[in-house]
Amino acid sequence: MTRPDISFAVGVLSRFMSCPEQAHMRAAKGVLRYLCGTTRLGVAYGSSEPLQGYVDADWAGDVDGRRSTTGFIFTVNGGPVASASKRQSTVATSTAEAEYVAAAMATKEAIWLRKLLRVLGVDGEAVPMGKANQSCLALINNPEATGRTKHVDVAYHMVRDYQTRRDVAFYFLPSAKLPADGLTKPLPSPAFTAFRCAIGVGPELGGANMAQW
């Protein structure tokens, strides 16, 4: 069973495995209690939706090094096939930059998944990518460097090329409706429940017509 709903919590806890403190142990026990109380939750596929991506970033969420966290998830047929919650390797100086770095990471995954589906005989158009940051979308669609963005590493500008070539198609999606939001930061209970449902983690598995992963 795969549980993408705990990806963020596990990612944060894994940073302190070499020298955990009491607070980290309490948090780890909280994750275990959550898993014990949700043993029948799991990923389910039950529709015919094409490959869809969602990507988000939490700017400077790491209080120790002020690095941002990237979160993305890709779904096919109503359930996730790839997801990540990862701290970025560099310090972003703005929300737009953090979101842009996250978009580049997600684009690489989208291109790989698109090629994989083609090998399996599933031909699709540009992978739609939901994003909640308007500044980042403007940066993706504007190939001209400005004084505020020219310092961004060229390694991340590949997202513009794939957008132009129509391999991916970024579009605006409000943060409240963005499934990747729960992969970048802790959420209150109602928002977390909505996030869990949005990423395809079913409330109760066991139905005869549902394929489990």
Side-chain angles (χ1 to χ4, degrees):
M1 304 293 289
T2 297
R3 294 295 297 270
D5 48 328
I6 63 170
S7 294
F8 174 74
V10 171
V12 173
L13 286 171
S14 64
R15 303 171 192 172
F16 305 97
M17 290 182 62
S18 61
C19 187
E21 298 181 357
Q22 288 296 324
H24 307 132
M25 297 300 294
R26 287 195 297 268
K29 290 180 180 178
V31 174
L32 293 176
R33 284 194 296 268
Y34 168 74
L35 289 175
C36 287
T38 57
T39 55
R40 289 186 59 79
L41 289 182
V43 174
Y45 303 91
S47 65
S48 58
E49 298 175 1
L51 179 64
Q52 165 76 58
Y54 305 97
V55 55
D56 194 21
D58 180 35
W59 180 47
D62 177 20
V63 296
D64 296 322
R66 285 305 176 187
R67 284 190 281 176
S68 306
T69 301
T70 291
F72 64 76
I73 189 164
F74 290 88
T75 61
V76 176
N77 294 340
V81 294
S83 64
S85 177
K86 184 178 180 181
R87 186 171 53 177
Q88 295 180 4
S89 59
T90 58
V91 177
T93 59
S94 67
T95 302
E97 182 180 344
E99 296 279 359
Y100 193 54
V101 172
M105 294 175 62
T107 295
K108 294 177 182 178
E109 187 73 15
I111 299 303
W112 186 87
L113 289 171
R114 191 166 183 251
K115 291 180 179 179
L116 175 62
L117 290 177
R118 283 185 173 178
V119 171
L120 296 175
V122 181
D123 291 328
E125 299 181 353
V127 181
M129 305 276 284
K131 199 109 177 72
N133 187 273
Q134 295 279 22
S135 298
C136 177
L137 292 175
L139 190 58
I140 292 173
N141 293 305
N142 179 17
E144 297 180 2
T146 66
R148 295 183 178 181
T149 61
K150 64 181 181 181
H151 67 282
V152 179
D153 196 313
V154 294
Y156 304 123
H157 288 315
M158 44 78 66
V159 66
R160 293 176 175 172
D161 292 336
Y162 286 115
Q163 173 89 347
T164 302
R165 289 162 49 180
R166 300 184 182 279
D167 289 323
V168 295
F170 282 88
Y171 65 94
F172 178 74
L173 188 65
S175 182
K177 298 180 179 180
L178 190 66
D181 193 42
L183 298 173
T184 62
K185 64 178 76 70
L187 299 176
S189 181
F192 180 80
T193 302
F195 152 72
R196 194 172 61 192
C197 293
I199 63 174
V201 177
E204 285 291 334
L205 289 181
N209 296 324
M210 304 299 282
Q212 300 183 19
W213 178 34

